[in-house]
Amino acid sequence: MKKSPSQSRRSFLHKSALTSAGLIFLPQMVNSASSMDLKPKIPIYGHLWVYASKFPPNWDAYPDLETVFADMSYAGLDGVELMESILRHEDAVSKLKDYKNKYNIAVSGSSYGVGMNLWDAGQHQKIADDLALVIPRLAEVGGKTFGVSVGKADQKKSEAELDAQAKTLKVLMSICEDHGIVANLHNHTYEIENDLHDLKGTLARIPDLKLGPDINWLIRGGVDPVTFIKTYGKQIVYVHLRDQYDHGEWTEYLGQGNTDFEGIANALRAQGFEGQAAIELAFPNDFSPTIPLKESWKLSRKFVKKTFGW
């Protein structure tokens, strides 16, 4: 049946009103969605040091590897950060793939540097050969980060030693780049003692090197984390989080100690941090845990969510 002119006009006005309303609300919906996307997703990983610490002197947690994946998956972490010793095992890739699938948790990357002195020119070839082994294996299991410790010397490093260190780091960075992995400089205390002598020497030679500071080692090395973040924030792509009490002893999980995590979170936020983070638990010698380790991971994960919003 043919519509009358009045019916056609009412239909037209109704559709026009709906269209106008859509034009009014659509930008608001787009803006709302955009604002949701503006907040970056910061993945939270777990570094396996607390397991490796039971296996001196090589600190190889391979015997406990499945427990590592099970515990961190239970705690709701996004991934496991390895140590390079894991990747030297011949069956590492197959085992890591199995555990990733079984526990539905990623391999985020690896730290590197145990027993390696990047500043020692005599170790250059040994380190290069090792990197050619572990980095491709890390890439094969989906790892994307590589946190490097350069090694401690008995004294402040000389200019020649810092030159050798930078040369080795450049080789490392090149291999990482070839495999889609982001290298970052992971500090202990020796890199930031003596007015950041080691770190400044490295950055003078490789100004664009990414940083992955360990917040607790900064504190133990006498460096204020907030000041460090304000100074180097634009180069920070990764942070390690650990807590300690007033007297310096490490806590069982994050949130028990006196670390100014709120100030650290604010400083990272002010710098527009969009990197990644890892919880790294460590226990004092002869410490007897009061709760299962998987619960320490879970409580730490909840604390990071509450304090950092990640």
Side-chain angles (χ1 to χ4, degrees):
M1 183 175 67
K2 187 177 180 181
K3 291 183 180 180
S4 68
S6 60
Q7 286 177 315
S8 299
R9 183 172 181 278
R10 281 197 301 272
S11 175
F12 171 77
L13 291 174
H14 179 67
K15 290 178 180 178
S16 297
L18 290 175
T19 303
S20 299
L23 291 173
I24 293 170
F25 288 111
L26 183 58
Q28 294 179 358
M29 293 170 64
V30 171
N31 289 336
S32 177
S34 299
S35 64
M36 289 173 64
D37 292 338
L38 287 176
K39 187 175 181 180
K41 168 70 168 70
I42 307 295
I44 307 299
Y45 309 130
H47 186 277
L48 54 66
W49 165 254
V50 73
Y51 303 90
S53 65
K54 298 186 297 181
F55 298 98
N58 296 321
W59 319 112
D60 185 358
Y62 208 59
D64 283 357
L65 193 56
E66 183 167 10
T67 301
V68 171
F69 276 79
D71 286 357
M72 294 191 187
S73 176
Y74 167 83
L77 294 167
D78 294 303
V80 176
E81 185 181 5
L82 307 172
M83 294 173 68
E84 75 271 18
S85 55
I86 299 292
L87 295 162
R88 294 191 184 114
H89 290 267
E90 286 301 321
D91 61 346
V93 170
S94 60
K95 274 200 172 185
L96 289 166
K97 286 182 175 180
D98 286 346
Y99 296 151
K100 281 178 58 179
N101 292 332
K102 182 176 180 179
Y103 295 102
N104 194 29
I105 186 171
V107 170
S108 63
S110 178
S111 59
Y112 185 84
V114 176
M116 298 293 188
N117 293 322
L118 276 64
W119 52 268
D120 182 357
Q123 288 195 35
H124 181 90
Q125 191 58 53
K126 173 187 173 183
I127 294 171
D129 292 343
D130 189 52
L131 293 169
L133 173 71
V134 301
I135 292 176
R137 288 181 177 179
L138 179 61
E140 197 172 345
V141 296
K144 297 296 182 184
T145 66
F146 203 64
V148 186
S149 300
V150 292
K152 182 179 181 180
D154 293 332
Q155 67 291 315
K156 287 172 65 174
K157 291 172 187 172
S158 67
E159 294 300 307
E161 288 170 336
L162 289 170
D163 286 341
Q165 181 167 289
K167 181 179 179 181
T168 309
L169 279 169
K170 288 176 181 177
V171 171
L172 181 152
M173 293 166 67
S174 177
I175 299 174
C176 281
E177 186 175 358
D178 288 345
H179 290 85
I181 293 172
V182 178
N184 65 83
L185 198 60
H186 172 71
N187 69 277
H188 290 81
T189 55
Y190 56 83
E191 293 96 340
I192 45 90
E193 292 172 333
N194 302 305
D195 190 31
L196 282 73
H197 168 77
D198 199 307
L199 177 65
K200 288 178 179 177
T202 298
L203 292 179
R205 291 159 173 83
I206 315 176
D208 59 345
L209 181 58
K210 304 299 183 184
L211 302 180
D214 183 300
I215 298 301
N216 186 250
W217 285 128
L218 288 176
I219 294 169
R220 288 172 174 254
V223 174
D224 173 44
V226 172
T227 300
F228 186 91
I229 292 165
K230 288 179 179 178
T231 305
Y232 297 104
K234 299 306 179 185
Q235 288 177 252
I236 296 175
V237 297
Y238 203 92
V239 291
H240 272 221
L241 304 172
R242 188 170 53 256
D243 200 1
Q244 68 177 42
Y245 294 109
D246 286 331
H247 57 277
E249 187 173 278
W250 287 316
T251 63
E252 196 165 359
Y253 51 87
L254 267 61
Q256 290 180 298
N258 73 322
T259 304
D260 181 18
F261 284 117
E262 187 172 338
I264 292 162
N266 289 335
L268 287 168
R269 201 171 294 118
Q271 291 293 319
F273 177 71
E274 295 183 359
Q276 303 174 69
I279 299 164
E280 183 179 352
L281 300 179
F283 296 156
N285 293 334
D286 303 320
F287 175 75
S288 297
T290 65
I291 56 176
L293 189 50
K294 66 180 184 178
E295 299 297 342
S296 288
W297 286 115
K298 192 170 187 177
L299 289 168
S300 297
R301 180 66 187 92
K302 287 182 177 179
F303 178 80
V304 170
K305 176 67 175 177
K306 177 182 177 182
T307 308
F308 289 83
W310 301 339

